[in-house]
Amino acid sequence: MRKINLLGIQFQDYTTREALKIANQYMNNGALNTISFVSTQILVEAGEHEQQKEWIENVDLLICDEPDILHASGNATRNRVKEIEGGEFAKELIHRIARNRKKVFLLADSDKRMEQLKTELSMIRDDLRMEGEYVLADFSKGTEALVNEINDLVPSVIISRFPYPIQEQLMFENRKMINADIW
C-alpha cells in the first residue's frame, strides 16, 4: 500500500492482492462498502469541485484505472503498472464473486450501457449470477425506486456503469439505505 496525494485528494494505492483482500473483508462485514475506479480525469474534476472531492474521499476503496496516476505520484512500479493496464483487480474480483455464487445487481444509465456491461461481465465469467438490473436514465425523479429494487433482491454486489460524477454521487447519497455488501 502506498499513499497518493494528487490535486489535494488523498487515497491509498493497493496492489491487486491487497485490494482483493480488502474486498473479501467487505463481503463479510455487514455494511455496504464502496469501490470505485479513478482516472486522471476524475481526479482533475474532483480537485476542482469540493462536493465531488468529498464523494471521492468517501469511497471506501479507490482503484487506480490509469498508470498515469502512479507516474504522477511517483509510485509507478513495473508490476503495479502491469496490474492496472491488465485490469487485474476487476477481473479477479469478478472471478471471486462468481466462484462464491454471490448475487449481482447491475445498474446503468442507458439500455446500451447495460448491454455493454452484461457483455463485458459475461466475457470475464459467464457463470456470474446477474440476478437483477436497473436502468436509471432520469436522475431527476429520485432514486427511491432504485433503492427499493436493490433491497428487494438483497444482492451481495452492485456493479454500476454510470458516468462520473453521477456514480459517486449515487453511492454517497444512498449507501446507508442499500442492503448489499459491495457497490
Side-chain angles (χ1 to χ4, degrees):
M1 181 258 316
R2 292 189 171 124
K3 293 184 184 216
I4 292 179
N5 185 345
L6 285 177
L7 305 167
I9 299 171
Q10 293 187 5
F11 63 97
Q12 324 275 320
D13 176 51
Y14 294 97
T15 65
T16 296
R17 175 181 275 173
E18 292 168 330
L20 288 167
K21 186 176 182 179
I22 292 168
N24 282 339
Q25 292 169 354
Y26 291 168
M27 290 288 216
N28 300 308
N29 71 6
L32 175 63
N33 293 106
T34 54
I35 300 172
S36 189
F37 292 84
V38 292
S39 65
T40 306
Q41 183 61 36
I42 289 172
L43 292 175
V44 168
E45 283 187 46
E48 295 172 354
H49 300 93
E50 199 58 39
Q51 182 67 57
Q52 292 180 22
K53 181 179 176 185
E54 182 182 1
W55 295 336
I56 290 291
E57 289 178 338
N58 277 288
V59 171
D60 295 311
L61 179 60
L62 288 174
I63 304 294
C64 291
D65 203 26
E66 299 172 348
D68 291 345
I69 295 170
L70 297 181
H71 291 294
S73 68
N75 289 321
T77 63
R78 186 176 33 216
N79 285 343
R80 192 66 192 104
V81 168
K82 246 175 115 172
E83 288 177 351
I84 291 172
E85 289 175 341
E88 299 302 320
F89 172 78
K91 289 176 187 174
E92 184 56 35
L93 183 60
I94 297 302
H95 285 296
R96 289 179 183 207
I97 292 167
R99 270 194 312 268
N100 293 319
R101 306 288 303 144
K102 300 289 186 181
K103 284 193 276 187
V104 176
F105 192 93
L106 304 178
L107 296 174
D109 63 334
S110 69
D111 290 326
K112 180 181 177 183
R113 286 173 69 100
M114 179 62 75
E115 289 309 311
Q116 290 172 336
L117 178 59
K118 289 194 288 192
T119 300
E120 290 171 16
L121 291 171
S122 293
M123 288 173 60
I124 296 171
R125 193 71 189 237
D126 63 356
D127 62 340
L128 188 64
R129 288 181 61 191
M130 297 180 269
E131 297 199 5
E133 63 183 63
Y134 195 91
V135 174
L136 182 64
D138 185 3
F139 299 95
S140 65
K141 294 181 180 177
T143 57
E144 187 175 319
L146 166 65
V147 171
N148 289 338
E149 188 88 19
I150 293 169
N151 289 339
D152 284 347
L153 182 63
V154 191
S156 294
V157 179
I158 300 166
I159 299 175
S160 56
R161 176 68 58 89
F162 290 111
Y164 176 83
I166 294 168
Q167 181 161 286
E168 285 70 16
Q169 180 182 2
L170 283 171
M171 287 175 168
F172 182 79
E173 292 176 352
N174 296 289
R175 73 185 293 168
K176 291 181 179 157
M177 297 179 284
I178 292 180
N179 249 344
D181 296 322
I182 293 177
W183 183 341

